[in-house]
Amino acid sequence: MDRLRVLTLNIWNRQGPWAERLALIRHGIAARDFNAEPDSDEMRFLRGLTPIDGVSVYFADCWLHTTGQDPGAGFGFTYDRRNGFAARSHEPSRRIDYVYVRGPDRQLRGEPLSARVVFDEPRGEVWPSDHHGVLAEIQAAPQPIGPY
């Protein structure tokens, strides 16, 4: 992989062939505030669980593939009522910010290695944002694969 493609997209924009274009991407990262919970159609589409207009893709949700598998990991809330900014909305805490990666490929490039919620504590009484961040470590260099 000579280049890293980072995607910014509006998953709700059903105008035009965005699903088809997304399906053509071989390597890439989509990271953003999707404002959608993990079981929503949008997130299920990205994880390959729900087709849209006959198109299906697969991106690995870095949180689900790494930290989210640990029993003590918690829910990975990125919109959390502990945060004073988020508490004002009177909405429940939930995970709505994601890092998705298209992979891994046959050389394990694009494999999610770790993910964690960051900026989830205030400094004094100041929160960095109304959302917490997601930091993901993703395999970029080709890895040797033994015989099967």
Side-chain angles (χ1 to χ4, degrees):
M1 182 164 57
D2 299 321
R3 291 178 267 160
L4 177 67
R5 181 176 292 184
V6 178
L7 308 171
T8 301
L9 55 99
N10 184 344
I11 199 76
W12 297 274
N13 180 2
R14 298 215 178 202
Q15 302 297 321
W18 66 266
E20 290 87 350
R21 287 194 302 263
L22 195 57
L24 294 174
I25 295 170
R26 291 181 49 224
H27 303 289
I29 297 171
R32 69 169 287 162
D33 163 12
F34 284 95
N35 277 324
E37 296 186 43
D39 287 333
S40 68
D41 286 342
E42 299 91 336
M43 299 302 97
R44 291 176 53 79
F45 170 73
L46 286 174
R47 294 194 321 266
L49 301 173
T50 300
I52 294 179
D53 298 330
V55 176
S56 181
V57 301
Y58 176 77
F59 283 76
D61 177 338
C62 291
W63 172 266
L64 281 181
H65 282 270
T66 61
T67 309
Q69 300 293 318
D70 297 335
F75 298 106
F77 291 151
T78 57
Y79 193 77
D80 192 336
R81 292 194 55 156
R82 292 182 308 121
N83 180 324
F85 292 122
R88 292 181 196 156
S89 70
H90 302 286
E91 295 179 22
S93 298
R94 59 197 187 277
R95 185 165 81 95
I96 58 175
D97 300 85
Y98 303 84
V99 177
Y100 283 99
V101 62
R102 184 72 180 245
D105 67 8
R106 291 180 184 201
Q107 294 178 309
L108 300 181
R109 296 173 298 193
E111 179 182 15
L113 301 174
S114 68
R116 63 186 171 102
V117 176
V118 295
F119 307 120
D120 57 341
E121 296 293 333
R123 276 226 173 141
E125 295 183 27
V126 178
W127 290 87
S129 171
D130 60 333
H131 292 239
H132 305 319
V134 179
L135 176 66
E137 182 181 10
I138 300 166
Q139 180 67 44
Q143 297 295 303
I145 299 174
Y148 289 68

